[in-house]
Amino acid sequence: MLSLDQLLEILAECSGDQQAAAHGEEVLDREFDMLGYDSLVLLETSAQLKHRYDIDIPEDVIRDLRTPRAVLDYANVPAERD
Amino acid sequence: MDAPTPHPTTPRRRVVFAFPGQGAQQPRMAAGLYGVSPSFTATMDHAFDALGPAGRTLRAGWLAAEAPAAFDDISYAQPLLYAVDCALGTMLAEAGLRPDAVLGHSVGELAAATLAGVFTFDCGLRYLSEYIGVYRHAPPGGMLAVAAGPEEVETHLVPDVVIGAVNGPRQVLLSAPEPALSQVETALRRAGVTCSRARALQPFHHPVMRRVAAAHADALTRPPLRPPHTTVLSAYTGHTLDEATATDWRFWTSQPAEPVLFGPTLQRLLSRGRHLLVEAGPGQSLTALARRTPAVANGDAEALALLPARAGSPDDDVKAVRAALEQLAAGPGAPAELSPDF
């Protein structure tokens, strides 16, 4: 299971956030655009998810996931079905 | 620049307009405002008229349901970005919002300087027409966005590849002619570094542009430039433009060969006092960069985009502008009257 905190940590690192601004449940449904995470950050996040957690979200899929919740849903639902 | 003067009762924020450049273009960008906002429409029509036959092609390509194949080429992207940036800045001024400072990324800096009175709009358009004529001779190439800081990227550079822009602590744009661009992209991907081609077909902000300009730019008589009436932050110098630099044509004509230091410039600006950054251009790329700065994270600055992050329906443009203006009007120190001209 990928947790929200794990995802936010990766996003912050990938974007070079010096202070993690986004945290807590309230960011679950905020769009990445609003959080300042652009497509390059999401591509890097896709690479890091694969590298650290062996979670595979292809680049063309993660581009269309708009919120942290969407990423968590994508990452966690298939694993539960297995 | 003035030292920050904290004011406990009226925390007026300095309003900064930010204008995006090459790479931010989208088919039909801001077109939902065309025919809706009188000031936006008049500015765009002025540009198309001033550019003559090329202007008609540009207008058709901008409004086409399916963008022309060459949309990312200098001939479409740059004049359209310049016109749209200027038209949005003008529309904001019409709405009652005056910037305390302006800055832009790449060709966006030309728009910023136009809003600040350095160039007249006509003069900027003439310069861009000439510029397209010169830089269409640039070797094919482009720019590559890399998710890494400048130091980390340095270790991967191969001959002919330079850092064309520093957008943030972990985002740089490499610039190179082909085949060097493809080579560095392959090498970076092999090393596990995330990268993505920027929407550019020429190696902007690369020293090769100096040779292109030397070979193709005629010694034109250039109209005198005026000192800025509004503070212009330059992403080339990293500082406020002084009068001598702002009115020196050589400063402007050297820009295609010089790196854009947008990230460090933005960070320096936002670290001094309270700011409200308003992105006046297609997409939200500069807003995204601003939202990752410490100043926005700790609440000293706020960043807001006028238009949607991705191109949508014409209605989306109109709704986004209305929502942005409402948010601006609700903020501290907002002008008494702030309403769109449509």
Side-chain angles (χ1 to χ4, degrees), chain A residues 13-19 21 33-34 36 38 40-41 43-44 47 59 63 66, chain B residues 145-147 169-171 189 194 196 267 284 288 291-292 294 297-298 309-310:
Chain A
E13 283 177 32
C14 294
S15 67
D17 254 344
Q18 280 121 327
Q19 336 183 350
D33 297 322
M34 290 305 295
D38 54 26
L40 191 66
V41 173
L43 292 184
E44 172 73 350
E59 289 193 351
R63 274 181 208 273
R66 300 287 180 88
Chain B
V146 184
R170 286 194 53 77
Q171 188 182 120
R189 288 190 189 278
T194 299
S196 167
Q267 190 146 332
Q284 305 188 350
R291 285 187 174 139
R292 289 184 233 149
N298 67 28
R310 302 148 209 247

PDB file of all heavy atoms in Angstrom, chain A residues 13-19 21 33-34 36 38 40-41 43-44 47 59 63 66, chain B residues 145-147 169-171 189 194 196 267 284 288 291-292 294 297-298 309-310:
ATOM      1  N   GLU A  13      10.206  15.841  -2.883  1.00  0.00           N
ATOM      2  CA  GLU A  13      11.595  15.643  -3.304  1.00  0.00           C
ATOM      3  C   GLU A  13      11.761  15.885  -4.793  1.00  0.00           C
ATOM      4  O   GLU A  13      12.716  16.511  -5.240  1.00  0.00           O
ATOM      5  CB  GLU A  13      12.037  14.210  -2.989  1.00  0.00           C
ATOM      6  CG  GLU A  13      12.363  14.006  -1.520  1.00  0.00           C
ATOM      7  CD  GLU A  13      12.722  12.557  -1.230  1.00  0.00           C
ATOM      8  OE1 GLU A  13      13.290  11.891  -2.121  1.00  0.00           O
ATOM      9  OE2 GLU A  13      12.404  12.117  -0.131  1.00  0.00           O
ATOM     10  N   CYS A  14      10.818  15.377  -5.589  1.00  0.00           N
ATOM     11  CA  CYS A  14      10.919  15.493  -7.049  1.00  0.00           C
ATOM     12  C   CYS A  14      10.797  16.934  -7.506  1.00  0.00           C
ATOM     13  O   CYS A  14      11.303  17.303  -8.558  1.00  0.00           O
ATOM     14  CB  CYS A  14       9.843  14.665  -7.734  1.00  0.00           C
ATOM     15  SG  CYS A  14      10.045  12.905  -7.481  1.00  0.00           S
ATOM     16  N   SER A  15      10.098  17.744  -6.749  1.00  0.00           N
ATOM     17  CA  SER A  15       9.873  19.112  -7.191  1.00  0.00           C
ATOM     18  C   SER A  15      10.913  20.064  -6.628  1.00  0.00           C
ATOM     19  O   SER A  15      10.996  21.212  -7.031  1.00  0.00           O
ATOM     20  CB  SER A  15       8.484  19.578  -6.754  1.00  0.00           C
ATOM     21  OG  SER A  15       8.451  19.672  -5.355  1.00  0.00           O
ATOM     22  N   GLY A  16      11.708  19.579  -5.673  1.00  0.00           N
ATOM     23  CA  GLY A  16      12.702  20.464  -5.076  1.00  0.00           C
ATOM     24  C   GLY A  16      12.092  21.405  -4.048  1.00  0.00           C
ATOM     25  O   GLY A  16      12.671  22.425  -3.719  1.00  0.00           O
ATOM     26  N   ASP A  17      10.905  21.047  -3.567  1.00  0.00           N
ATOM     27  CA  ASP A  17      10.285  21.813  -2.484  1.00  0.00           C
ATOM     28  C   ASP A  17      11.247  21.889  -1.313  1.00  0.00           C
ATOM     29  O   ASP A  17      11.677  20.856  -0.814  1.00  0.00           O
ATOM     30  CB  ASP A  17       9.037  21.071  -1.971  1.00  0.00           C
ATOM     31  CG  ASP A  17       7.767  21.735  -2.419  1.00  0.00           C
ATOM     32  OD1 ASP A  17       7.835  22.891  -2.845  1.00  0.00           O
ATOM     33  OD2 ASP A  17       6.722  21.080  -2.348  1.00  0.00           O
ATOM     34  N   GLN A  18      11.561  23.098  -0.882  1.00  0.00           N
ATOM     35  CA  GLN A  18      12.460  23.160   0.257  1.00  0.00           C
ATOM     36  C   GLN A  18      11.720  22.941   1.565  1.00  0.00           C
ATOM     37  O   GLN A  18      12.284  22.555   2.552  1.00  0.00           O
ATOM     38  CB  GLN A  18      13.231  24.477   0.284  1.00  0.00           C
ATOM     39  CG  GLN A  18      14.390  24.424  -0.688  1.00  0.00           C
ATOM     40  CD  GLN A  18      14.294  25.498  -1.721  1.00  0.00           C
ATOM     41  OE1 GLN A  18      13.203  25.878  -2.125  1.00  0.00           O
ATOM     42  NE2 GLN A  18      15.424  26.012  -2.157  1.00  0.00           N
ATOM     43  N   GLN A  19      10.457  23.240   1.548  1.00  0.00           N
ATOM     44  CA  GLN A  19       9.659  22.971   2.737  1.00  0.00           C
ATOM     45  C   GLN A  19       8.394  22.300   2.222  1.00  0.00           C
ATOM     46  O   GLN A  19       7.736  22.834   1.367  1.00  0.00           O
ATOM     47  CB  GLN A  19       9.264  24.254   3.463  1.00  0.00           C
ATOM     48  CG  GLN A  19      10.199  25.390   3.174  1.00  0.00           C
ATOM     49  CD  GLN A  19       9.847  26.623   3.957  1.00  0.00           C
ATOM     50  OE1 GLN A  19       8.820  26.728   4.586  1.00  0.00           O
ATOM     51  NE2 GLN A  19      10.742  27.590   3.907  1.00  0.00           N
ATOM     52  N   ALA A  21       5.112  21.918   1.721  1.00  0.00           N
ATOM     53  CA  ALA A  21       3.951  22.758   2.008  1.00  0.00           C
ATOM     54  C   ALA A  21       2.698  21.894   2.103  1.00  0.00           C
ATOM     55  O   ALA A  21       1.838  22.119   2.933  1.00  0.00           O
ATOM     56  CB  ALA A  21       3.771  23.795   0.920  1.00  0.00           C
ATOM     57  N   ASP A  33      -1.873  20.695 -10.212  1.00  0.00           N
ATOM     58  CA  ASP A  33      -1.597  22.056 -10.699  1.00  0.00           C
ATOM     59  C   ASP A  33      -1.657  23.061  -9.551  1.00  0.00           C
ATOM     60  O   ASP A  33      -0.832  23.962  -9.453  1.00  0.00           O
ATOM     61  CB  ASP A  33      -2.621  22.469 -11.770  1.00  0.00           C
ATOM     62  CG  ASP A  33      -2.542  21.571 -12.997  1.00  0.00           C
ATOM     63  OD1 ASP A  33      -1.420  21.195 -13.376  1.00  0.00           O
ATOM     64  OD2 ASP A  33      -3.600  21.251 -13.566  1.00  0.00           O
ATOM     65  N   MET A  34      -2.678  22.869  -8.683  1.00  0.00           N
ATOM     66  CA  MET A  34      -2.846  23.798  -7.563  1.00  0.00           C
ATOM     67  C   MET A  34      -1.736  23.625  -6.526  1.00  0.00           C
ATOM     68  O   MET A  34      -1.423  24.543  -5.774  1.00  0.00           O
ATOM     69  CB  MET A  34      -4.201  23.573  -6.876  1.00  0.00           C
ATOM     70  CG  MET A  34      -5.414  23.983  -7.688  1.00  0.00           C
ATOM     71  SD  MET A  34      -5.311  25.701  -8.220  1.00  0.00           S
ATOM     72  CE  MET A  34      -5.384  26.537  -6.624  1.00  0.00           C
ATOM     73  N   GLY A  36       1.269  22.981  -7.350  1.00  0.00           N
ATOM     74  CA  GLY A  36       2.530  23.405  -7.957  1.00  0.00           C
ATOM     75  C   GLY A  36       3.318  22.261  -8.578  1.00  0.00           C
ATOM     76  O   GLY A  36       4.494  22.406  -8.869  1.00  0.00           O
ATOM     77  N   ASP A  38       3.990  20.130 -11.674  1.00  0.00           N
ATOM     78  CA  ASP A  38       3.720  20.095 -13.115  1.00  0.00           C
ATOM     79  C   ASP A  38       4.030  18.724 -13.697  1.00  0.00           C
ATOM     80  O   ASP A  38       4.363  17.784 -12.972  1.00  0.00           O
ATOM     81  CB  ASP A  38       4.495  21.213 -13.823  1.00  0.00           C
ATOM     82  CG  ASP A  38       5.983  21.165 -13.520  1.00  0.00           C
ATOM     83  OD1 ASP A  38       6.498  20.073 -13.204  1.00  0.00           O
ATOM     84  OD2 ASP A  38       6.622  22.227 -13.592  1.00  0.00           O
ATOM     85  N   LEU A  40       6.447  17.512 -15.392  1.00  0.00           N
ATOM     86  CA  LEU A  40       7.797  16.962 -15.192  1.00  0.00           C
ATOM     87  C   LEU A  40       7.925  16.338 -13.797  1.00  0.00           C
ATOM     88  O   LEU A  40       8.534  15.280 -13.626  1.00  0.00           O
ATOM     89  CB  LEU A  40       8.850  18.054 -15.398  1.00  0.00           C
ATOM     90  CG  LEU A  40      10.295  17.558 -15.468  1.00  0.00           C
ATOM     91  CD1 LEU A  40      10.526  16.704 -16.707  1.00  0.00           C
ATOM     92  CD2 LEU A  40      11.270  18.725 -15.452  1.00  0.00           C
ATOM     93  N   VAL A  41       7.336  16.984 -12.803  1.00  0.00           N
ATOM     94  CA  VAL A  41       7.357  16.440 -11.446  1.00  0.00           C
ATOM     95  C   VAL A  41       6.617  15.095 -11.416  1.00  0.00           C
ATOM     96  O   VAL A  41       7.062  14.133 -10.779  1.00  0.00           O
ATOM     97  CB  VAL A  41       6.710  17.419 -10.441  1.00  0.00           C
ATOM     98  CG1 VAL A  41       6.587  16.782  -9.066  1.00  0.00           C
ATOM     99  CG2 VAL A  41       7.522  18.704 -10.352  1.00  0.00           C
ATOM    100  N   LEU A  43       6.235  13.002 -13.925  1.00  0.00           N
ATOM    101  CA  LEU A  43       7.057  11.989 -14.598  1.00  0.00           C
ATOM    102  C   LEU A  43       8.137  11.464 -13.649  1.00  0.00           C
ATOM    103  O   LEU A  43       8.398  10.267 -13.581  1.00  0.00           O
ATOM    104  CB  LEU A  43       7.725  12.582 -15.846  1.00  0.00           C
ATOM    105  CG  LEU A  43       6.816  12.952 -17.016  1.00  0.00           C
ATOM    106  CD1 LEU A  43       7.630  13.417 -18.200  1.00  0.00           C
ATOM    107  CD2 LEU A  43       5.953  11.755 -17.405  1.00  0.00           C
ATOM    108  N   GLU A  44       8.765  12.367 -12.937  1.00  0.00           N
ATOM    109  CA  GLU A  44       9.805  11.981 -11.980  1.00  0.00           C
ATOM    110  C   GLU A  44       9.198  11.151 -10.846  1.00  0.00           C
ATOM    111  O   GLU A  44       9.793  10.195 -10.364  1.00  0.00           O
ATOM    112  CB  GLU A  44      10.492  13.253 -11.444  1.00  0.00           C
ATOM    113  CG  GLU A  44      11.467  13.039 -10.309  1.00  0.00           C
ATOM    114  CD  GLU A  44      12.776  12.380 -10.710  1.00  0.00           C
ATOM    115  OE1 GLU A  44      12.884  11.901 -11.850  1.00  0.00           O
ATOM    116  OE2 GLU A  44      13.676  12.323  -9.860  1.00  0.00           O
ATOM    117  N   ALA A  47       8.798   7.650 -11.979  1.00  0.00           N
ATOM    118  CA  ALA A  47      10.075   6.926 -11.928  1.00  0.00           C
ATOM    119  C   ALA A  47      10.422   6.526 -10.501  1.00  0.00           C
ATOM    120  O   ALA A  47      10.870   5.403 -10.239  1.00  0.00           O
ATOM    121  CB  ALA A  47      11.180   7.793 -12.525  1.00  0.00           C
ATOM    122  N   GLU A  59       4.145   6.559 -17.703  1.00  0.00           N
ATOM    123  CA  GLU A  59       4.218   8.013 -17.861  1.00  0.00           C
ATOM    124  C   GLU A  59       2.932   8.599 -18.455  1.00  0.00           C
ATOM    125  O   GLU A  59       2.458   9.638 -18.023  1.00  0.00           O
ATOM    126  CB  GLU A  59       5.412   8.390 -18.745  1.00  0.00           C
ATOM    127  CG  GLU A  59       6.756   8.163 -18.049  1.00  0.00           C
ATOM    128  CD  GLU A  59       7.916   8.823 -18.767  1.00  0.00           C
ATOM    129  OE1 GLU A  59       7.723   9.325 -19.890  1.00  0.00           O
ATOM    130  OE2 GLU A  59       9.023   8.834 -18.194  1.00  0.00           O
ATOM    131  N   ARG A  63       0.377  11.290 -16.226  1.00  0.00           N
ATOM    132  CA  ARG A  63       0.092  12.625 -16.772  1.00  0.00           C
ATOM    133  C   ARG A  63      -1.386  13.001 -16.613  1.00  0.00           C
ATOM    134  O   ARG A  63      -1.726  14.166 -16.499  1.00  0.00           O
ATOM    135  CB  ARG A  63       0.377  12.651 -18.275  1.00  0.00           C
ATOM    136  CG  ARG A  63       1.792  12.935 -18.672  1.00  0.00           C
ATOM    137  CD  ARG A  63       1.825  12.925 -20.202  1.00  0.00           C
ATOM    138  NE  ARG A  63       3.123  12.540 -20.734  1.00  0.00           N
ATOM    139  CZ  ARG A  63       4.116  13.386 -20.949  1.00  0.00           C
ATOM    140  NH1 ARG A  63       3.959  14.658 -20.682  1.00  0.00           N
ATOM    141  NH2 ARG A  63       5.262  12.970 -21.434  1.00  0.00           N
ATOM    142  N   ARG A  66      -4.978  13.577 -11.840  1.00  0.00           N
ATOM    143  CA  ARG A  66      -4.975  14.992 -11.478  1.00  0.00           C
ATOM    144  C   ARG A  66      -4.696  15.267 -10.003  1.00  0.00           C
ATOM    145  O   ARG A  66      -4.325  16.373  -9.641  1.00  0.00           O
ATOM    146  CB  ARG A  66      -6.336  15.631 -11.829  1.00  0.00           C
ATOM    147  CG  ARG A  66      -6.706  15.575 -13.298  1.00  0.00           C
ATOM    148  CD  ARG A  66      -5.871  16.546 -14.086  1.00  0.00           C
ATOM    149  NE  ARG A  66      -6.192  16.540 -15.500  1.00  0.00           N
ATOM    150  CZ  ARG A  66      -7.129  17.288 -16.061  1.00  0.00           C
ATOM    151  NH1 ARG A  66      -7.863  18.086 -15.338  1.00  0.00           N
ATOM    152  NH2 ARG A  66      -7.343  17.232 -17.361  1.00  0.00           N
TER     153      ARG A  66
ATOM    154  N   ALA B 145      13.383  19.350 -20.961  1.00  0.00           N
ATOM    155  CA  ALA B 145      13.177  19.623 -19.533  1.00  0.00           C
ATOM    156  C   ALA B 145      13.715  18.445 -18.736  1.00  0.00           C
ATOM    157  O   ALA B 145      13.425  17.288 -19.049  1.00  0.00           O
ATOM    158  CB  ALA B 145      11.690  19.809 -19.254  1.00  0.00           C
ATOM    159  N   VAL B 146      14.521  18.727 -17.719  1.00  0.00           N
ATOM    160  CA  VAL B 146      15.149  17.671 -16.931  1.00  0.00           C
ATOM    161  C   VAL B 146      14.798  17.877 -15.458  1.00  0.00           C
ATOM    162  O   VAL B 146      14.905  18.990 -14.941  1.00  0.00           O
ATOM    163  CB  VAL B 146      16.685  17.701 -17.102  1.00  0.00           C
ATOM    164  CG1 VAL B 146      17.320  16.539 -16.350  1.00  0.00           C
ATOM    165  CG2 VAL B 146      17.067  17.646 -18.579  1.00  0.00           C
ATOM    166  N   ALA B 147      14.385  16.796 -14.809  1.00  0.00           N
ATOM    167  CA  ALA B 147      14.024  16.874 -13.390  1.00  0.00           C
ATOM    168  C   ALA B 147      15.276  16.699 -12.541  1.00  0.00           C
ATOM    169  O   ALA B 147      15.500  15.651 -11.927  1.00  0.00           O
ATOM    170  CB  ALA B 147      12.986  15.801 -13.055  1.00  0.00           C
ATOM    171  N   PRO B 169      14.816  24.563  -8.388  1.00  0.00           N
ATOM    172  CA  PRO B 169      15.892  23.749  -7.808  1.00  0.00           C
ATOM    173  C   PRO B 169      16.024  22.381  -8.481  1.00  0.00           C
ATOM    174  O   PRO B 169      17.105  21.824  -8.544  1.00  0.00           O
ATOM    175  CB  PRO B 169      15.462  23.581  -6.345  1.00  0.00           C
ATOM    176  CG  PRO B 169      14.473  24.669  -6.092  1.00  0.00           C
ATOM    177  CD  PRO B 169      13.814  24.973  -7.396  1.00  0.00           C
ATOM    178  N   ARG B 170      14.905  21.841  -8.960  1.00  0.00           N
ATOM    179  CA  ARG B 170      14.980  20.549  -9.633  1.00  0.00           C
ATOM    180  C   ARG B 170      14.320  20.586 -11.009  1.00  0.00           C
ATOM    181  O   ARG B 170      13.640  19.665 -11.424  1.00  0.00           O
ATOM    182  CB  ARG B 170      14.362  19.447  -8.757  1.00  0.00           C
ATOM    183  CG  ARG B 170      15.274  19.084  -7.581  1.00  0.00           C
ATOM    184  CD  ARG B 170      14.896  17.813  -6.879  1.00  0.00           C
ATOM    185  NE  ARG B 170      14.761  16.646  -7.748  1.00  0.00           N
ATOM    186  CZ  ARG B 170      15.787  15.952  -8.246  1.00  0.00           C
ATOM    187  NH1 ARG B 170      17.017  16.301  -7.991  1.00  0.00           N
ATOM    188  NH2 ARG B 170      15.571  14.905  -9.001  1.00  0.00           N
ATOM    189  N   GLN B 171      14.520  21.656 -11.719  1.00  0.00           N
ATOM    190  CA  GLN B 171      14.023  21.710 -13.096  1.00  0.00           C
ATOM    191  C   GLN B 171      14.906  22.623 -13.940  1.00  0.00           C
ATOM    192  O   GLN B 171      14.953  23.828 -13.722  1.00  0.00           O
ATOM    193  CB  GLN B 171      12.577  22.196 -13.160  1.00  0.00           C
ATOM    194  CG  GLN B 171      12.020  22.046 -14.566  1.00  0.00           C
ATOM    195  CD  GLN B 171      10.599  22.552 -14.746  1.00  0.00           C
ATOM    196  OE1 GLN B 171      10.341  23.438 -15.527  1.00  0.00           O
ATOM    197  NE2 GLN B 171       9.664  21.987 -13.995  1.00  0.00           N
ATOM    198  N   ARG B 189      18.215   9.365 -19.913  1.00  0.00           N
ATOM    199  CA  ARG B 189      17.228   8.303 -19.635  1.00  0.00           C
ATOM    200  C   ARG B 189      17.939   7.032 -19.179  1.00  0.00           C
ATOM    201  O   ARG B 189      17.479   6.347 -18.269  1.00  0.00           O
ATOM    202  CB  ARG B 189      16.385   8.028 -20.881  1.00  0.00           C
ATOM    203  CG  ARG B 189      15.400   9.153 -21.173  1.00  0.00           C
ATOM    204  CD  ARG B 189      14.405   8.764 -22.252  1.00  0.00           C
ATOM    205  NE  ARG B 189      13.600   9.905 -22.670  1.00  0.00           N
ATOM    206  CZ  ARG B 189      12.525  10.333 -22.023  1.00  0.00           C
ATOM    207  NH1 ARG B 189      12.113   9.721 -20.940  1.00  0.00           N
ATOM    208  NH2 ARG B 189      11.857  11.394 -22.461  1.00  0.00           N
ATOM    209  N   THR B 194      14.872  11.689 -15.124  1.00  0.00           N
ATOM    210  CA  THR B 194      13.611  11.978 -15.809  1.00  0.00           C
ATOM    211  C   THR B 194      13.740  13.206 -16.690  1.00  0.00           C
ATOM    212  O   THR B 194      14.235  14.247 -16.246  1.00  0.00           O
ATOM    213  CB  THR B 194      12.496  12.203 -14.775  1.00  0.00           C
ATOM    214  OG1 THR B 194      12.343  11.012 -14.018  1.00  0.00           O
ATOM    215  CG2 THR B 194      11.178  12.559 -15.443  1.00  0.00           C
ATOM    216  N   SER B 196      11.899  15.331 -20.386  1.00  0.00           N
ATOM    217  CA  SER B 196      10.752  15.440 -21.266  1.00  0.00           C
ATOM    218  C   SER B 196      11.023  16.561 -22.269  1.00  0.00           C
ATOM    219  O   SER B 196      11.466  17.644 -21.877  1.00  0.00           O
ATOM    220  CB  SER B 196       9.524  15.741 -20.398  1.00  0.00           C
ATOM    221  OG  SER B 196       8.443  16.141 -21.174  1.00  0.00           O
ATOM    222  N   GLN B 267      12.795  33.330  -7.181  1.00  0.00           N
ATOM    223  CA  GLN B 267      13.023  33.066  -5.757  1.00  0.00           C
ATOM    224  C   GLN B 267      13.550  34.313  -5.049  1.00  0.00           C
ATOM    225  O   GLN B 267      13.136  34.630  -3.938  1.00  0.00           O
ATOM    226  CB  GLN B 267      14.008  31.912  -5.603  1.00  0.00           C
ATOM    227  CG  GLN B 267      14.100  31.444  -4.165  1.00  0.00           C
ATOM    228  CD  GLN B 267      14.339  29.947  -4.079  1.00  0.00           C
ATOM    229  OE1 GLN B 267      13.938  29.194  -4.971  1.00  0.00           O
ATOM    230  NE2 GLN B 267      14.991  29.522  -3.027  1.00  0.00           N
ATOM    231  N   GLN B 284      -0.199  27.128 -16.715  1.00  0.00           N
ATOM    232  CA  GLN B 284       0.125  27.535 -15.344  1.00  0.00           C
ATOM    233  C   GLN B 284       1.556  27.151 -14.987  1.00  0.00           C
ATOM    234  O   GLN B 284       1.859  26.883 -13.827  1.00  0.00           O
ATOM    235  CB  GLN B 284      -0.852  26.875 -14.367  1.00  0.00           C
ATOM    236  CG  GLN B 284      -2.318  27.166 -14.698  1.00  0.00           C
ATOM    237  CD  GLN B 284      -3.276  26.696 -13.638  1.00  0.00           C
ATOM    238  OE1 GLN B 284      -2.896  25.978 -12.720  1.00  0.00           O
ATOM    239  NE2 GLN B 284      -4.537  27.092 -13.760  1.00  0.00           N
ATOM    240  N   ALA B 288       3.129  27.114 -11.220  1.00  0.00           N
ATOM    241  CA  ALA B 288       3.608  25.871 -10.604  1.00  0.00           C
ATOM    242  C   ALA B 288       5.001  26.087 -10.021  1.00  0.00           C
ATOM    243  O   ALA B 288       5.283  25.669  -8.896  1.00  0.00           O
ATOM    244  CB  ALA B 288       3.623  24.739 -11.630  1.00  0.00           C
ATOM    245  N   ARG B 291       4.706  28.151  -6.875  1.00  0.00           N
ATOM    246  CA  ARG B 291       4.089  27.445  -5.735  1.00  0.00           C
ATOM    247  C   ARG B 291       5.081  26.547  -5.016  1.00  0.00           C
ATOM    248  O   ARG B 291       4.811  26.083  -3.921  1.00  0.00           O
ATOM    249  CB  ARG B 291       2.877  26.633  -6.212  1.00  0.00           C
ATOM    250  CG  ARG B 291       1.704  27.543  -6.501  1.00  0.00           C
ATOM    251  CD  ARG B 291       0.435  26.777  -6.807  1.00  0.00           C
ATOM    252  NE  ARG B 291      -0.666  27.735  -6.931  1.00  0.00           N
ATOM    253  CZ  ARG B 291      -1.623  27.664  -7.844  1.00  0.00           C
ATOM    254  NH1 ARG B 291      -1.632  26.666  -8.716  1.00  0.00           N
ATOM    255  NH2 ARG B 291      -2.562  28.563  -7.890  1.00  0.00           N
ATOM    256  N   ARG B 292       6.204  26.291  -5.650  1.00  0.00           N
ATOM    257  CA  ARG B 292       7.214  25.448  -4.997  1.00  0.00           C
ATOM    258  C   ARG B 292       8.285  26.276  -4.295  1.00  0.00           C
ATOM    259  O   ARG B 292       9.241  25.717  -3.777  1.00  0.00           O
ATOM    260  CB  ARG B 292       7.888  24.573  -6.048  1.00  0.00           C
ATOM    261  CG  ARG B 292       6.982  23.495  -6.576  1.00  0.00           C
ATOM    262  CD  ARG B 292       7.765  22.627  -7.526  1.00  0.00           C
ATOM    263  NE  ARG B 292       7.086  22.507  -8.792  1.00  0.00           N
ATOM    264  CZ  ARG B 292       7.717  22.357  -9.954  1.00  0.00           C
ATOM    265  NH1 ARG B 292       9.022  22.351  -9.999  1.00  0.00           N
ATOM    266  NH2 ARG B 292       7.023  22.220 -11.053  1.00  0.00           N
ATOM    267  N   PRO B 294       9.916  28.672  -1.309  1.00  0.00           N
ATOM    268  CA  PRO B 294       9.691  28.779   0.139  1.00  0.00           C
ATOM    269  C   PRO B 294       8.706  29.903   0.470  1.00  0.00           C
ATOM    270  O   PRO B 294       7.900  29.765   1.391  1.00  0.00           O
ATOM    271  CB  PRO B 294      11.081  29.101   0.696  1.00  0.00           C
ATOM    272  CG  PRO B 294      12.050  28.680  -0.356  1.00  0.00           C
ATOM    273  CD  PRO B 294      11.335  28.773  -1.669  1.00  0.00           C
ATOM    274  N   ALA B 297       5.294  28.619   0.125  1.00  0.00           N
ATOM    275  CA  ALA B 297       5.068  27.574   1.127  1.00  0.00           C
ATOM    276  C   ALA B 297       4.809  28.174   2.508  1.00  0.00           C
ATOM    277  O   ALA B 297       3.952  27.692   3.250  1.00  0.00           O
ATOM    278  CB  ALA B 297       6.269  26.634   1.176  1.00  0.00           C
ATOM    279  N   ASN B 298       5.515  29.262   2.851  1.00  0.00           N
ATOM    280  CA  ASN B 298       5.319  29.821   4.188  1.00  0.00           C
ATOM    281  C   ASN B 298       4.297  30.966   4.232  1.00  0.00           C
ATOM    282  O   ASN B 298       4.142  31.618   5.251  1.00  0.00           O
ATOM    283  CB  ASN B 298       6.666  30.221   4.832  1.00  0.00           C
ATOM    284  CG  ASN B 298       7.309  31.385   4.106  1.00  0.00           C
ATOM    285  OD1 ASN B 298       6.634  32.215   3.495  1.00  0.00           O
ATOM    286  ND2 ASN B 298       8.628  31.456   4.154  1.00  0.00           N
ATOM    287  N   ALA B 309      -4.857  25.192 -16.535  1.00  0.00           N
ATOM    288  CA  ALA B 309      -3.548  24.560 -16.739  1.00  0.00           C
ATOM    289  C   ALA B 309      -3.476  23.909 -18.115  1.00  0.00           C
ATOM    290  O   ALA B 309      -2.442  23.911 -18.768  1.00  0.00           O
ATOM    291  CB  ALA B 309      -3.292  23.525 -15.657  1.00  0.00           C
ATOM    292  N   ARG B 310      -4.572  23.327 -18.527  1.00  0.00           N
ATOM    293  CA  ARG B 310      -4.601  22.677 -19.835  1.00  0.00           C
ATOM    294  C   ARG B 310      -5.668  23.326 -20.686  1.00  0.00           C
ATOM    295  O   ARG B 310      -6.661  23.829 -20.160  1.00  0.00           O
ATOM    296  CB  ARG B 310      -4.952  21.186 -19.691  1.00  0.00           C
ATOM    297  CG  ARG B 310      -3.989  20.443 -18.797  1.00  0.00           C
ATOM    298  CD  ARG B 310      -4.711  19.319 -18.062  1.00  0.00           C
ATOM    299  NE  ARG B 310      -4.069  19.071 -16.771  1.00  0.00           N
ATOM    300  CZ  ARG B 310      -3.410  17.949 -16.474  1.00  0.00           C
ATOM    301  NH1 ARG B 310      -3.352  16.986 -17.340  1.00  0.00           N
ATOM    302  NH2 ARG B 310      -2.826  17.801 -15.311  1.00  0.00           N
TER     303      ARG B 310
END
